[in-house]
């Protein structure tokens, strides 16, 4: 859920405070969304841990002089369906990696963004609500 959805829920709760059935439905929906988000996070953490383990094993195998050190990483990528298969896919992946490295370098060189300086801006991301004037 993004912040505009939370704002919509808050507005609904404020408008419908006299109807406990609606509030109970909103609470159940929020709990369901929270449970879904936690499951997605757990899945992503598992994938990350498996890839990190495979990457570390690959580097360790290369350091130890194993004949095929990339085996750990290629096996894990194959399990996740992430091995490049065509030449154009290989070129796209390499291009994406170079672009990501360049963007990270720019972010590391950029001065820190200060929050709280200047006038406060209001954002409205949803069409179902409006900002007070």
């Amino acid at each position: 859920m993004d912040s505009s959805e939370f704002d919509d829920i808050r507005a609904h709760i404020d408008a419908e405070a006299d109807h406990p059935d609606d509030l109970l439905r909103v609470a159940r929906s929020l709990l369901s969304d929270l449970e879904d988000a936690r499951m997605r996070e757990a899945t992503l953490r598992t994938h990350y841990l498996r890839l990190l383990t495979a990457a570390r094993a690959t580097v360790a195998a290369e350091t130890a002089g194993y004949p095929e050190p990339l085996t750990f990483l290629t096996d894990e990528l194959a399990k996740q369906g992430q091995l490049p298969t065509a030449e154009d896919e290989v070129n796209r992946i390499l291009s994406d990696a170079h672009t990501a490295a360049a963007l990270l370098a720019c972010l590391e060189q950029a001065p820190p963004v200060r929050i709280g300086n200047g006038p406060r801006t209001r954002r409205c991301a949803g069409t179902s609500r409006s900002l007070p004037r």
Side-chain angles (χ1 to χ4, degrees), residues 23-97:
L23 295 178
L24 186 59
R25 183 177 43 82
V26 169
R28 286 185 178 140
S29 175
L30 288 173
L31 286 173
S32 177
D33 288 349
L34 181 61
E35 185 178 53
D36 291 344
R38 287 185 183 225
M39 288 302 295
R40 284 191 303 272
E41 180 187 11
T43 301
L44 288 172
R45 284 178 182 264
T46 300
H47 287 304
Y48 172 78
L49 182 59
R50 290 175 67 170
L51 284 170
L52 181 62
T53 301
R56 293 182 72 214
T58 297
V59 172
E62 183 181 34
T63 302
Y66 280 35
E68 294 184 37
L70 288 176
T71 301
F72 298 103
L73 194 54
T74 54
D75 285 349
E76 186 57 37
L77 290 173
K79 288 177 190 173
Q80 295 186 23
Q82 296 295 319
L83 278 178
T85 56
E87 185 178 341
D88 60 331
E89 190 177 5
V90 169
N91 291 331
R92 182 185 50 80
I93 291 169
L94 291 173
S95 176
D96 289 348

